[in-house]
Amino acid sequence: MKPSTSGSKLLQGAFILSAAAIISKLIGTLQKIPLQNLGGDAVFGIYNTVYPLYILLVTVAMLGLPAAVSKFVAEAAVGERQETARRILVRSAVITGLSGLVIGVATYTGASFIAGWVGNSHITAALRTAAWGLLFVPVMSALRGYFQGLHNMVPTAVSQIVEQSVRVVVMITLLLYLSSGNAGAESIAAGAMLGSAGGGAAGLVIMLLYWQRHRSRSVLKKAPAERLEVIHTRRLLSYGIPVMLGALAVPLIGLVDVFTLPRLLSAGANESDAMVQFGVYNRGLPLVQIVTMLATTLSVVFIPALAEANYRGDTKLIEVRCQQSLHWFWLLGLAASVGLAVLAEPINVALYGNAAGTSTMTWIAFTAAGGTVSIISAALLQGLGHVRAPALHLLAAALLKAALNVLLVPQLGITGAAIAGVAAHLFAAALNVLLLRRKAHLRLRPADVLAKPALLVAGLGFAAAAVSWSADAALAAAGLAGGRAASLAQSLLGVSAGCAVFAVGAIALRMLSEDELRGLPGIGPPLAKLMKKLRLFP
């Protein structure tokens, strides 16, 4: 295969995979809204306690082998050693399958013990249904790693979308069925968690179909004298386990809430009320996750661009790209935080039917600011070759979150946990930025970091609040205020006003130039072209 063809195929595959990741993550995030609407806050609380545990168990069960499969299959594909690549897949699929089976059985039989560890017995049934997903997802992930090693991202993309779609369909179907039968919160949450197994099974079927078609086609192309290379289990695990440990660092801050918040809330109430409160606490998280999901997706383009500049030793380009990236992700995260905080009440009513936990949602909104900077700074550090530091910084932030939860939750309830989350995300971001500042020789001026952004987001917040208030007054005069539709209208108008003020204000304050925007890798040139077409640049 010619290098140009290979590079084109890789870029095309990266785009397909990124698009599929956005769609699947968006489906996975937005499904939490009908979950709360149909099941209520108690079901929402149980689900949001168990799902992070399920992701943790799946990550452990995979043992990082999908990444190992991708690497070793890619190496085998270069030498056209198809049988070696297949053996790598089979060995990895067997290991991940057995690992998933063992962890799944242990989770099912030890669900009550895990529930006791968390501090709430109401999650037991949901843990048991979640365990079924461990039978399918690890093997499916190994197959995904195989095709990614061949630079064929389509099977992974299709299976991701199918997995999430089936998961949501199964979840909502069981929610409707169990809710109509007046089932308890524990049973409804268990039914919702069964969607993970349904989605995993569907995703595995898709991957097996792709594997069968790939196998039938590649048999015809098999080389007559292929040199077999034995990839030992120890070699696979030695590569995969560090990847797994790195992946475990990402959800650490969220897992702190799972292991501390239900127990802390139960100290002042019964377990059922604690789950209701935990459900209310999680209302604001899907919106913040959409912001951080977009940040994660966009951050991927900076790693290869910065790695290339680092390889060439172009310190000036490294400094410019790091400076611009931090500057804009900080602005976008801060703008999203202020917008969500100002519009917390109408958004809460529009999405969840009432204003419960609005003050908590207001605080949670500000995790978007620290979260986006943490994500982009971690990506920039990885591009410079500092892979472990961001994981260690997340571990330190998780420890801070745990300490603040213990300190604040008994006094302030779920609002205390939200404040602790803001502090933890900002702490992780600050540690990353301080290291990046030293490694990339950044010059962070107070006017650029604090003064101008504060002025810009103040205008954004004022515009969003003013438009939202005006819409509320107009709807009240028409006798239409107070409902979910009216709150949705307030929210959309407020968001539109805030976005307009942000775009105009950024240019008026000379925080954005056309050259700066064009300098951003990947997304910059088309965005600059659009803004120039709209005549937003002077």
Side-chain angles (χ1 to χ4, degrees):
M1 183 178 289
K2 295 179 181 179
S4 59
T5 305
S6 177
S8 175
K9 185 178 179 181
L10 187 60
L11 287 173
Q12 184 183 23
F15 173 78
I16 291 171
L17 200 56
S18 297
I22 292 174
I23 294 170
S24 61
K25 286 179 180 178
L26 200 58
I27 293 171
T29 299
L30 294 180
Q31 57 92 20
K32 292 183 178 181
I33 295 170
L35 170 63
Q36 188 277 341
N37 286 194
L38 294 170
D41 287 318
V43 172
F44 198 47
I46 295 172
Y47 182 90
N48 281 290
T49 303
V50 174
Y51 191 71
L53 291 173
Y54 166 74
I55 296 298
L56 172 69
L57 294 170
V58 166
T59 303
V60 173
M62 290 190 299
L63 297 169
L65 290 183
V69 171
S70 181
K71 169 184 165 57
F72 291 120
V73 166
E75 292 174 354
V78 171
E80 297 185 353
R81 303 190 305 276
Q82 296 179 10
E83 189 60 33
T84 297
R86 287 180 190 169
R87 290 189 176 192
I88 293 169
L89 172 62
V90 171
R91 187 181 294 264
S92 299
V94 169
I95 295 171
T96 55
L98 288 174
S99 175
L101 177 63
V102 170
I103 294 176
V105 171
T107 302
Y108 189 92
T109 57
S112 57
F113 172 77
I114 298 172
W117 195 17
V118 170
N120 197 291
S121 61
H122 292 288
I123 69 171
T124 304
L127 273 170
R128 285 182 176 145
T129 55
W132 290 99
L134 290 160
L135 301 179
F136 310 110
V137 176
V139 178
M140 173 188 69
S141 299
L143 282 161
R144 286 176 177 175
Y146 175 83
F147 283 103
Q148 288 170 24
L150 298 177
H151 295 167
N152 183 1
M153 308 300 177
V154 174
T156 297
V158 173
S159 70
Q160 279 183 340
I161 295 172
V162 169
E163 179 191 3
Q164 288 286 18
S165 300
V166 171
R167 183 165 77 89
V168 172
V169 169
V170 171
M171 183 193 75
I172 292 178
T173 301
L174 290 173
L175 275 172
L176 292 170
Y177 174 74
L178 293 169
S179 298
S180 64
N182 296 318
E186 295 178 41
S187 299
I188 296 174
M193 279 305 307
L194 198 58
S196 297
L204 177 58
V205 168
I206 294 296
M207 292 308 304
L208 288 172
L209 290 173
Y210 272 107
W211 162 250
Q212 183 61 35
R213 187 170 69 173
H214 166 76
R215 188 180 181 189
S216 63
R217 288 180 175 179
S218 60
V219 166
L220 301 177
K221 302 176 183 178
K222 185 176 178 181
E226 179 179 335
R227 179 178 63 85
L228 289 180
E229 179 185 356
V230 179
I231 305 294
H232 294 288
T233 301
R234 182 180 297 177
R235 190 178 173 194
L236 287 168
L237 292 176
S238 65
Y239 184 89
I241 289 178
V243 173
M244 177 200 74
L245 294 175
L248 289 176
V250 176
L252 272 179
I253 295 177
L255 283 169
V256 167
D257 282 330
V258 170
F259 285 103
T260 60
L261 206 46
R263 186 180 296 277
L264 291 168
L265 293 172
S266 297
N270 59 49
E271 290 186 346
S272 297
D273 290 340
M275 278 294 101
V276 170
Q277 284 297 299
F278 193 58
V280 172
Y281 170 76
N282 278 277
R283 286 186 178 193
L285 293 179
L287 298 174
V288 172
Q289 286 167 354
I290 290 175
V291 177
T292 55
M293 174 199 73
L294 292 173
T296 301
T297 304
L298 292 174
S299 70
V300 173
V301 303
F302 291 93
I303 297 176
L306 204 60
E308 181 182 351
N310 190 42
Y311 177 76
R312 293 177 177 177
D314 192 340
T315 56
K316 182 61 179 177
L317 182 59
I318 290 172
E319 180 185 342
V320 169
R321 283 183 170 167
C322 289
Q323 197 96 19
Q324 289 179 348
S325 306
L326 286 176
H327 179 64
W328 277 100
F329 274 73
W330 166 240
L331 269 181
L332 292 173
L334 197 59
S337 293
V338 171
L340 290 174
V342 167
L343 300 171
E345 184 170 350
I347 289 174
N348 199 7
V349 174
L351 296 182
Y352 302 111
N354 57 53
T358 294
S359 60
T360 301
M361 184 181 285
T362 301
W363 276 104
I364 285 177
F366 285 97
T367 60
T372 52
V373 175
S374 176
I375 289 165
I376 185 58
S377 56
L380 294 173
L381 285 170
Q382 289 167 13
L384 292 175
H386 302 281
V387 179
R388 294 182 181 178
L392 293 175
H393 294 165
L394 280 173
L395 177 60
L399 293 174
L400 176 64
K401 176 73 162 84
L404 290 177
N405 271 5
V406 172
L407 180 66
L408 298 177
V409 171
Q411 307 298 324
L412 302 174
I414 56 176
T415 300
I419 295 171
V422 175
H425 282 284
L426 287 174
F427 182 60
L431 291 176
N432 284 349
V433 170
L434 287 173
L435 179 60
L436 195 60
R437 183 173 179 266
R438 190 168 71 250
K439 297 297 181 181
H441 309 290
L442 300 183
R443 293 168 293 175
L444 303 175
R445 296 179 297 178
D448 292 332
V449 176
L450 297 174
K452 288 184 179 180
L455 185 61
L456 181 61
V457 298
L460 178 155
F462 178 79
V467 170
S468 176
W469 181 85
S470 300
D472 184 48
L475 290 166
L480 300 174
R484 297 182 72 170
S487 296
L488 180 61
Q490 282 181 254
S491 302
L492 293 176
L493 289 170
V495 168
S496 300
C499 289
V501 170
F502 179 82
V504 174
I507 295 170
L509 292 170
R510 296 187 178 180
M511 299 182 71
L512 173 67
S513 68
E514 184 179 352
D515 290 338
E516 275 186 325
L517 193 55
R518 288 188 183 279
L520 292 176
I523 58 172
L527 196 55
K529 185 178 180 181
L530 175 63
M531 294 186 74
K532 187 174 183 179
K533 189 176 181 180
L534 295 173
R535 297 182 180 179
L536 292 176
F537 289 116

